[in-house]
Amino acid sequence: MEKILEKYNTSETGLEDREVEFRLNKYGENTLNEIKKDHPIKVFLMQFVDILIILLLIAAVAAYFIGDWIDSVVILIVVLINGIIGFIQEYRAEKAMEKLKSLISAEAVVKRNNKLIKIPAKELTIGDIVAIEEGDKIPADIILIESSDLKIDESSLTGESLPVHKNHEYKADFDLSKIESSHDDSVKSKIAYMDSSVVNGRGLGVVIAIGMNSSIGKIATMIQEADTETPLQKQIASLGKTLGLIAVVICVFVFILQMASKGFITNIDTITEPFMTAVSLAVAAVPEGLPAVLTLTLALGMQKMAKNNSIVRKLLAVETLGSCTVVCTDKTGTLTHNKMTVVDNRLNNKKKALEICTLCNNSSVKDGKEIGDPTDISVMNFAEDNNYVKDSLEKKLPRIKEIALDSSRKRMTTIHRNIEQNNEGKKHANIKVLSKGAPEIMLNLCSHIDNEGEIVELNEKLRKEVIENMHQMTNSALRVLGLAYKEINDDLEAEEEIHFTDEVEKDLIFAGLVGMMDPPRKEAQKAVAACNTAGIKVVMITGDHQETAAAIGREIGILKDGKILTGSDLDNLNDDEFNEIVEDVSVYARVFPEQKVRIVKALQGKDNIVSMTGDGVNDAPALKNASIGVAMGSGTDVAKEAADMIIQDDNFATIVKSVREGRKIYDNIKRFVKFQVSTNIGAILTIICASLMSLPIPFNPIQILWINIMMDGPPAQSLGVEGAEKNIMKRPPEKGSILNKYSLSHIVIAGVVMAIGTLGVYLYELSLGGSITNPTEDIKIKAMTIAFTLFVVYQIFNALNARAKSDEKNNFFWIAILASFVMQLLVVYLPWLQGIFRTTGLGIIDWVIIVIAGAVIFVSDKIMKKIILRG
């Protein structure tokens, strides 16, 4: 203790006022500091600094100037919605920080000037002497100099499910240099960490870290880091930049080409047509409907997942689960029930053993809620399952004394009186001593063993049999209790006349062993198997002991050929060494918050998309850094605010259902992106080729906007709610681009077919008027109407090509297709719409040509798929 006081330049009487003032100036207040945030207006405006958004704004302006204010407003609304969503997401980190700050203790009892006083916790400083007792929250990181049966709940910080015993007993060779940095158990057992709670005993300690330098302060630093971009965010951004670059280059190229054909004469008449062509190309190159369809598809996916107990807090996180290659999961409450349960027993006398489990027990049930130590609750429930009910048994055998459990005794004993009256009316008191505790200690206190009523001496052979049973149970990672009893005959009637000494716990009779654990959920094993089939690696990361983690890992199928590492093992590995083995490790035990982040980042460094689950404050940094953070519904508010998704029922099987839904959504996103981009490519090729052939442009900008938003919208959105592919959980995760080689081949071929077909029919219609390059206005409008309508029909057939191979019905698809076709008929035949879109009515022969030409894309896609499958 003297060395600790010397290290922090303090004394048992505490700091003096002058020293406190000096240290507060030096170290600052004991508060959590937030990183300076941008002004909300700046954060909102920055949502629009994106190439795709900028191009959409340009398209909106262009649409307005050519008279189509409706499309201009629609595009602006889409852009505004995206900006609002992005703004909300960026402020999630600030909310998580607010929740974390609310956890900090408001007051502390500190010794200063040799007096105990209560002060605001923010006024604590390094070297302060802090007193803690049952019910207190630890106000700073402190190292103990006094303790009495001190137990602290660190579950929210370390993930350890049971309270941790702390003590101030230091060995002569204790290394003070390890205090602030080590994860060594010998150091952890001496330190009470900020924000943990005292559940038993009391203590006195020296403040060694405050504010942002404390354990929870380091977590605060990590959760304020920027959100990790999801794979879809990266791919959509990349797609936007690519399409934007294509749009700019092609627009400039076609504008120069058309101006060259006019001899670069710069007057309003010669510039208008090339400019309108460039605007048409810009509109054609940008998939205006993509952000709206993407947002709506993800939102619908969120609603469906919510019905399955998965609350998604971040739109793009929906698809990330479908792409994840590694699921890192906590053990307690996720893979297990988070309830200690007796799962094995070796009872020598079942009746006596169940009696001990029931009566030598301080747990109870109040208003339907179980109250007490998890171990006591588990053995009480075990006895009750065997018809030994505590309330009724206590009436028969009332407790008259208890010798309490403590860390040195490692056992609990209760003494009960059973007063019986014989036929002559004389009372006889039968005293029962019931004891349970660490099996090796209980065995040493026993002289006999009860084999179902036959009490025999506990010889060496029988002792070895009990020890063998104990080892079998502990090797299965069970927490084992030994049960023992003895009976004392006493003719005294008044219980206050009975006196007991420590001798009462000697010469006990051994009654058996019970083994308990937090058992795995039945559905967890199936869920892990489903992940393995789907090519997803499941990794368990827990604060529990290595043996417990390994046993659960093996039972549910996580730990097979993989390795198991502890937090101390991780500390002994440098980054290169860890990166070499990270994909071979299946279970991590006794890990700390920063180590969880290290694990996540190492896996991501191996090109993995990592999902991380957790429920405590200690999990928040890892949840924040993972590709998708999944918090448990019963977890802390800090974990929920840091996560992208919340599992309401704390069930790993629900995560697997969400993975399936995520894969379906990702498939559908690829489906409509491929569908929409092929439309853009087809329109671009059509306009470029028409320009190179010195033909009038087949579509005006309003028609292209109609195609991109109105015609792409309903079919694309209907593709966004397609059912899951039949093999969706029997294939590896998607790790490549949203547009892979097959998709790009489909897009190019579809675009070429649409361009050739549209231009072919367009040329044919123009030729009917005599001059292809300079047709009459009526011929030109009819040819443009047919080309425009054919292009819409291409989209209908193209949508059929993009459908999923699923057993699930999607009636919305047919409604969308019908709606698109009807809207096109209105544009073609309603006079007031003809004026806006510059269209004219079509005859039956025109429709026959359109349908036959449109069906070509349906046939070409089937041919392409057969060629690829053969290849």
Side-chain angles (χ1 to χ4, degrees):
M1 182 178 76
E2 289 76 13
K3 290 183 179 179
I4 293 172
L5 295 174
E6 184 181 343
K7 177 178 174 66
Y8 294 99
N9 194 22
T10 187
S11 69
E12 290 183 72
T13 60
L15 300 175
E16 294 183 356
D17 292 340
R18 183 180 296 178
E19 183 65 19
V20 169
E21 186 178 351
F22 171 77
R23 296 193 185 193
L24 282 172
N25 289 330
K26 180 179 180 180
Y27 299 113
E29 289 188 337
N30 180 33
T31 56
L32 299 183
N33 303 321
E34 293 185 62
I35 296 172
K36 188 177 180 181
K37 304 288 183 182
D38 288 330
H39 192 278
I41 294 175
K42 181 181 179 182
V43 173
F44 181 71
L45 292 176
M46 288 301 292
Q47 305 306 314
F48 304 98
V49 183
D50 178 86
I51 185 66
L52 188 57
I53 297 297
I54 291 171
L55 286 169
L56 285 171
L57 290 171
I58 292 172
V61 173
Y64 175 78
F65 277 109
I66 61 175
D68 190 15
W69 64 270
I70 295 176
D71 287 314
S72 178
V73 169
V74 170
I75 295 171
L76 289 174
I77 289 172
V78 169
V79 170
L80 184 63
I81 290 172
N82 282 330
I84 292 170
I85 291 170
F87 175 77
I88 292 170
Q89 289 169 0
E90 283 208 21
Y91 265 79
R92 289 171 60 250
E94 185 175 348
K95 288 182 181 178
M97 188 63 190
E98 288 173 1
K99 294 287 185 183
L100 193 59
K101 289 175 75 175
S102 70
L103 295 176
I104 307 307
S105 176
E107 293 182 320
V109 176
V110 62
K111 184 181 278 190
R112 288 180 178 170
N113 304 305
N114 204 24
K115 292 181 182 178
L116 282 174
I117 58 173
K118 186 175 284 188
I119 64 169
K122 68 178 183 179
E123 295 178 10
L124 283 176
T125 190
I126 304 298
D128 261 326
I129 306 296
V130 174
I132 54 175
E133 60 182 19
E134 186 173 333
D136 287 347
K137 270 197 172 182
I138 309 298
D141 286 359
I142 66 174
I143 187 163
L144 296 168
I145 56 174
E146 288 183 20
S147 64
S148 176
D149 199 21
L150 182 63
K151 289 184 180 179
I152 295 179
D153 179 5
E154 296 179 344
S155 57
S156 66
L157 289 170
T158 66
E160 225 171 327
S161 52
L162 296 174
V164 180
H165 181 260
K166 302 283 185 177
N167 65 78
H168 69 288
E169 299 165 2
Y170 297 91
K171 294 181 180 180
D173 60 348
F174 183 77
D175 188 354
L176 290 175
S177 65
K178 293 181 178 180
I179 290 176
E180 286 92 355
S181 59
S182 177
H183 294 152
D184 190 274
D185 283 341
S186 65
V187 174
K188 291 188 293 181
S189 65
K190 317 299 180 192
I191 297 177
Y193 295 100
M194 191 173 185
D195 187 46
S196 54
S197 302
V198 181
V199 296
N200 191 71
R202 57 183 177 78
L204 201 67
V206 179
V207 174
I208 61 174
I210 60 172
M212 299 303 284
N213 291 320
S214 66
S215 52
I216 200 168
K218 291 172 183 175
I219 292 173
T221 300
M222 288 187 275
I223 68 171
Q224 291 187 88
E225 293 175 358
D227 279 327
T228 305
E229 267 196 323
T230 70
L232 187 62
Q233 278 178 310
K234 295 176 183 176
Q235 293 181 39
I236 292 295
S238 175
L239 178 63
K241 290 175 183 176
T242 302
L243 292 174
L245 183 63
I246 290 172
V248 172
V249 171
I250 292 177
C251 287
V252 172
F253 170 73
V254 170
F255 182 77
I256 293 173
L257 187 69
Q258 293 220 333
M259 287 298 293
S261 67
K262 299 178 182 296
F264 290 104
I265 300 171
T266 55
N267 58 55
I268 191 67
D269 294 325
T270 57
I271 289 178
T272 299
E273 188 177 342
F275 176 75
M276 291 305 294
T277 301
V279 169
S280 298
L281 272 170
V283 173
V286 179
E288 289 88 351
L290 181 57
V293 176
L294 177 63
T295 301
L296 191 54
T297 298
L298 292 171
L300 290 172
M302 285 174 64
Q303 290 181 6
K304 187 167 184 180
M305 291 171 80
K307 294 177 182 177
N308 292 322
N309 291 313
S310 302
I311 307 299
V312 179
R313 303 182 67 251
K314 186 176 179 182
L315 275 179
L316 287 169
V318 176
E319 61 78 28
T320 310
L321 256 186
S323 305
C324 74
T325 56
V326 179
V327 175
C328 295
T329 176
D330 187 25
K331 175 186 73 68
T332 306
T334 308
L335 298 172
T336 66
H337 288 278
N338 193 19
K339 182 178 182 180
M340 291 295 283
T341 307
V342 174
V343 295
D344 193 6
N345 66 81
R346 312 292 168 91
L347 304 183
N348 299 86
N349 186 317
K350 186 174 182 180
K351 179 179 179 297
K352 296 293 185 183
L354 292 172
E355 202 171 76
I356 297 165
C357 289
T358 307
L359 296 173
C360 185
N361 197 313
N362 284 333
S363 61
S364 61
V365 178
K366 187 175 182 180
D367 298 327
K369 185 178 180 181
E370 295 172 336
I371 301 169
D373 180 84
T375 301
D376 272 1
I377 291 172
S378 67
V379 295
M380 179 186 71
N381 289 335
F382 171 61
E384 193 166 311
D385 290 341
N386 286 275
N387 300 316
Y388 279 69
V389 180
K390 189 174 184 181
D391 288 342
S392 60
L393 200 56
E394 279 183 334
K395 292 176 183 177
K396 182 181 177 183
L397 295 167
R399 182 187 297 187
I400 58 176
K401 186 175 175 62
E402 174 187 340
I403 305 175
L405 168 75
D406 65 38
S407 56
S408 58
R409 284 168 34 80
K410 296 185 179 179
R411 64 186 182 276
M412 172 188 179
T413 298
T414 56
I415 302 167
H416 304 259
R417 179 196 287 275
N418 181 21
I419 300 176
E420 297 176 346
Q421 189 169 322
N422 61 21
N423 294 333
E424 299 174 357
K426 186 178 180 181
K427 291 183 179 179
H428 175 75
N430 181 30
I431 304 301
K432 291 194 174 186
V433 179
L434 309 178
S435 189
K436 76 177 193 297
E440 62 277 7
I441 289 176
M442 297 307 302
L443 202 56
N444 289 333
L445 293 172
C446 292
S447 58
H448 292 76
I449 188 168
D450 185 342
N451 289 320
E452 294 301 337
E454 182 184 354
I455 299 173
V456 297
E457 186 180 346
L458 186 60
N459 57 34
E460 195 59 33
K461 181 183 177 183
L462 291 173
R463 190 178 294 273
K464 284 183 178 179
E465 287 179 5
V466 173
I467 292 172
E468 177 61 28
N469 285 334
M470 181 182 71
H471 285 163
Q472 288 176 6
M473 296 168 80
T474 55
N475 288 340
S476 299
L478 301 184
R479 185 175 188 180
V480 183
L481 286 179
L483 308 174
Y485 76 98
K486 75 177 180 181
E487 297 181 356
I488 304 172
N489 291 323
D490 196 330
D491 292 329
L492 297 175
E493 297 182 14
E495 63 182 55
E496 57 268 19
E497 295 181 35
I498 301 174
H499 302 284
F500 296 105
T501 67
D502 291 340
E503 296 294 317
V504 78
E505 290 184 314
K506 292 185 178 179
D507 293 322
L508 299 177
I509 302 168
F510 193 78
L513 300 168
V514 288
M516 63 215 72
M517 70 185 306
D518 178 12
R521 294 175 182 264
K522 290 181 180 178
E523 59 271 27
Q525 190 170 5
K526 293 180 181 178
V528 169
C531 283
N532 292 336
T533 302
I536 301 169
K537 180 180 176 66
V538 181
V539 176
M540 181 198 297
I541 304 177
T542 179
D544 258 340
H545 294 275
Q546 179 176 347
E547 295 78 11
T548 305
I552 295 293
R554 290 190 188 95
E555 188 168 347
I556 64 176
I558 291 177
L559 187 60
K560 294 178 180 176
D561 301 326
K563 297 179 181 179
I564 180 167
L565 284 184
T566 64
S568 56
D569 293 333
L570 273 177
D571 279 344
N572 294 327
L573 294 172
N574 61 40
D575 288 343
D576 291 337
E577 290 170 334
F578 182 44
N579 290 336
E580 282 292 317
I581 65 169
V582 65
E583 291 189 302
D584 299 325
V585 181
S586 298
V587 174
Y588 295 87
R590 306 288 282 170
V591 294
F592 276 70
E594 60 269 30
Q595 291 174 326
K596 293 183 180 184
V597 174
R598 187 183 178 194
I599 293 165
V600 167
K601 288 186 174 180
L603 286 167
Q604 289 173 328
K606 291 286 187 177
D607 199 28
N608 286 295
I609 296 171
V610 182
S611 166
M612 174 72 198
T613 73
D615 58 1
V617 175
N618 64 311
D619 296 314
L623 293 172
K624 188 82 172 174
N625 281 274
S627 307
I628 175 168
V630 181
M632 298 297 106
S634 62
T636 62
D637 287 340
V638 178
K640 291 175 187 177
E641 290 294 344
D644 305 300
M645 191 169 87
I646 299 168
I647 300 298
Q648 287 185 299
D649 59 0
D650 294 9
N651 194 335
F652 185 76
T654 302
I655 299 174
V656 177
K657 290 179 185 176
S658 300
V659 169
R660 184 182 186 277
E661 188 66 24
R663 285 192 173 192
K664 184 182 83 171
I665 291 168
Y666 188 62
D667 282 350
N668 289 339
I669 289 171
K670 290 194 301 178
R671 225 181 295 283
F672 68 66
V673 166
K674 181 173 72 173
F675 169 73
Q676 286 195 296
V677 174
S678 62
T679 298
N680 297 120
I681 296 298
I684 289 170
L685 289 175
T686 302
I687 293 170
I688 289 176
C689 291
S691 182
L692 290 171
M693 295 167 66
S694 299
L695 296 173
I697 302 302
F699 319 121
N700 59 48
I702 301 175
Q703 289 173 344
I704 292 178
L705 275 170
W706 176 261
I707 291 169
N708 280 11
I709 295 177
M710 295 301 183
M711 299 309 299
D712 272 5
Q717 188 57 69
S718 70
L719 291 173
V721 292
E722 279 284 275
E725 297 275 354
K726 295 177 182 179
N727 69 335
I728 196 162
M729 291 299 283
K730 295 181 180 178
R731 67 184 199 218
E734 296 278 354
K735 291 181 69 173
S737 170
I738 194 169
L739 295 178
N740 54 29
K741 289 182 180 179
Y742 168 74
S743 296
L744 288 172
S745 300
H746 173 94
I747 288 169
V748 171
I749 291 172
V752 169
V753 169
M754 284 188 273
I756 291 174
T758 302
L759 285 172
V761 172
Y762 184 54
L763 278 169
Y764 170 74
E765 291 296 328
L766 288 176
S767 66
L768 296 178
S771 173
I772 293 175
T773 56
N774 191 25
T776 63
E777 189 65 18
D778 289 345
I779 292 294
K780 181 180 176 182
I781 289 176
K782 184 178 181 182
M784 288 181 68
T785 302
I786 291 175
F788 172 38
T789 304
L790 173 58
F791 207 82
V792 169
V793 171
Y794 274 137
Q795 307 323 307
I796 292 173
F797 281 111
N798 203 24
L800 289 168
N801 290 333
R803 296 207 69 189
K805 293 180 180 178
S806 174
D807 294 326
E808 301 173 36
K809 290 184 178 180
N810 181 10
N811 294 327
F812 180 52
F813 175 83
W814 299 110
I815 295 171
I817 293 296
L818 180 62
S820 296
F821 187 69
V822 169
M823 286 191 292
Q824 184 63 21
L825 290 179
L826 295 176
V827 166
V828 170
Y829 291 107
L830 284 182
W832 65 277
L833 287 177
Q834 287 176 341
I836 295 173
F837 286 90
R838 295 185 67 199
T839 57
T840 188
L842 301 177
I844 294 176
I845 299 300
D846 299 325
W847 278 107
V848 170
I849 293 172
I850 288 169
V851 172
I852 292 174
V856 172
I857 196 168
F858 187 75
V859 176
S860 68
D861 186 79
K862 300 300 178 188
I863 294 171
M864 185 185 73
K865 285 178 180 176
K866 285 187 177 181
I867 292 171
I868 290 174
L869 287 173
R870 286 175 184 172

